[in-house]
Amino acid sequence: NVSGKKIRKGLKGYLYGERGVWRPGDTIHTFFVLNDMDNPLPKGHPVKIEVRDPHGKLKYQKLENTGLNGFFRFDIPTENTDATGNWNAKVKVGGATFYKEFKVETIKPNRLKIKIDFIEELLTTSKPIDGDIEVKWLHGAIAKNLKTEVKMKLSVSSKGFENFPDYNFKDPVKKFQTEELTVFEGNVDALGKAKIHKKINLKNSAPGKLKATFFTRVFENGGDFSSDVISKEIVPFKSLVGMKSPETKRYGDSYETNKNVSFSVAAVDDSG
């Protein structure tokens, strides 16, 4: 972030942790860095920290006055039963206050590398979705015969077509409820590969192009799983009609009355 910092009472402060995410039960090892060159504080001036969980409950506070060269260390303990989410830290020093969020989440790192390639760049519902799944362990070995599932979540896309950048291909009258479908469920083979072949049938009519988000989970034999998420555009019609509105002449998004206004119309196939 190069936007600069607003100096509070001649003091600069920065709070950071040793990593980006912690699990409940971890200790958050954090440092506060103080720069008081513009407003020198007396030696041994205290630095106070307060940490609250996502519900606003005070979980940790400490007064520290034994920093080294402007660095003050705090070790914030968490319990296995603590709430997950954004924990908020507040540091007070010399009349100035500094803030920092710490993310506490119940996460597990992936141990498998998941790759999905689709044959078509732009997916359509007029023909089945075809793709290839490949799974490897992170150290490069083939992940054999592991249970795999791929779910697809459909939502409305705001994108149009590349050759018609100013055209709106979305029907404002139609409402689309998010749909979730299973596009693959089975095991990868002895080479860690499998094929996706799925015909998509929508439950309700789409207003235009859709965004397909693919959630993949591959399960280890011990029960743990690794996950991956990718998104693609999908066209639910064999052809679409788009309209381009002319620029407005006067104030706001309005046109003059009693004058002809020309709207451009384009009809395209599912590849645009």
Side-chain angles (χ1 to χ4, degrees):
N1 187 350
V2 295
S3 61
K5 290 288 182 183
K6 188 179 290 186
I7 298 176
R8 299 177 178 88
K9 300 184 182 297
L11 303 174
K12 294 180 183 178
Y14 184 69
L15 192 64
Y16 68 95
E18 89 279 15
R19 60 179 189 260
V21 183
W22 293 262
R23 297 178 193 158
D26 288 349
T27 298
I28 302 172
H29 302 290
T30 183
F31 278 89
F32 175 71
V33 188
L34 176 67
N35 180 340
D36 62 348
M37 290 182 181
D38 292 336
N39 181 19
L41 297 174
K43 188 174 182 180
H45 191 284
V47 173
K48 183 182 180 182
I49 186 171
E50 293 181 357
V51 181
R52 297 180 183 272
D53 70 9
H55 304 303
K57 183 180 178 182
L58 182 64
K59 301 295 290 186
Y60 177 84
Q61 62 178 342
K62 187 177 181 182
L63 205 64
E64 182 64 73
N65 57 8
T66 57
L68 178 63
N69 298 327
F71 285 77
F72 297 82
R73 175 176 171 170
F74 300 97
D75 298 310
I76 305 163
T78 68
E79 302 292 334
N80 291 330
T81 55
D82 278 338
T84 57
N86 291 330
W87 289 43
N88 296 289
K90 179 170 69 174
V91 173
K92 292 182 178 179
V93 54
T97 306
F98 304 91
Y99 300 91
K100 171 72 175 176
E101 279 188 352
F102 296 112
K103 292 188 178 296
V104 178
E105 302 289 350
T106 51
I107 61 165
K108 278 193 172 184
N110 280 351
R111 303 207 311 165
L112 296 164
K113 183 179 180 181
I114 303 166
K115 183 181 178 183
I116 295 184
D117 282 326
F118 292 97
I119 295 174
E120 301 290 342
E121 182 63 31
L122 185 64
L123 306 179
T124 67
T125 57
S126 60
K127 54 186 177 181
I129 293 175
D130 289 304
D132 296 308
I133 304 171
E134 184 178 13
V135 183
K136 291 183 178 180
W137 296 98
L138 286 182
H139 50 68
I142 295 170
K144 301 179 182 179
N145 306 316
L146 296 181
K147 178 185 174 184
T148 303
E149 64 176 30
V150 183
K151 293 185 180 295
M152 179 180 69
K153 187 175 183 180
L154 293 172
S155 56
V156 177
S157 172
S158 58
K159 292 185 179 180
F161 291 95
E162 188 177 351
N163 293 333
F164 299 89
D166 298 322
Y167 285 75
N168 181 10
F169 289 90
K170 189 162 63 175
D171 187 341
V173 177
K174 291 181 180 177
K175 304 295 181 184
F176 184 79
Q177 299 292 328
T178 300
E179 295 185 17
E180 188 172 293
L181 306 165
T182 299
V183 296
F184 180 86
E185 193 168 21
N187 287 47
V188 293
D189 60 19
L191 297 176
K193 296 182 179 181
K195 288 192 175 293
I196 296 173
H197 181 79
K198 180 72 174 180
K199 182 75 170 72
I200 304 301
N201 296 310
L202 298 179
K203 294 178 183 176
N204 52 70
S205 184
K209 286 177 74 175
L210 298 175
K211 179 183 178 181
T213 304
F214 295 89
F215 300 89
T216 305
R217 292 198 301 174
V218 181
F219 295 84
E220 302 175 24
N221 292 327
D224 287 341
F225 64 85
S226 295
S227 58
D228 185 65
V229 181
I230 62 170
S231 295
K232 299 280 287 184
E233 298 292 316
I234 184 167
V235 183
F237 305 105
K238 291 185 177 179
S239 60
L240 296 91
V241 176
M243 187 170 71
K244 179 182 178 181
S245 303
E247 291 185 10
T248 53
K249 299 290 184 182
R250 296 199 173 185
Y251 313 105
D253 294 326
S254 60
Y255 301 107
E256 293 182 57
T257 56
N258 301 319
K259 287 191 176 182
N260 291 330
V261 181
S262 298
F263 294 84
S264 302
V265 177
V268 301
D269 62 15
D270 54 13
S271 65

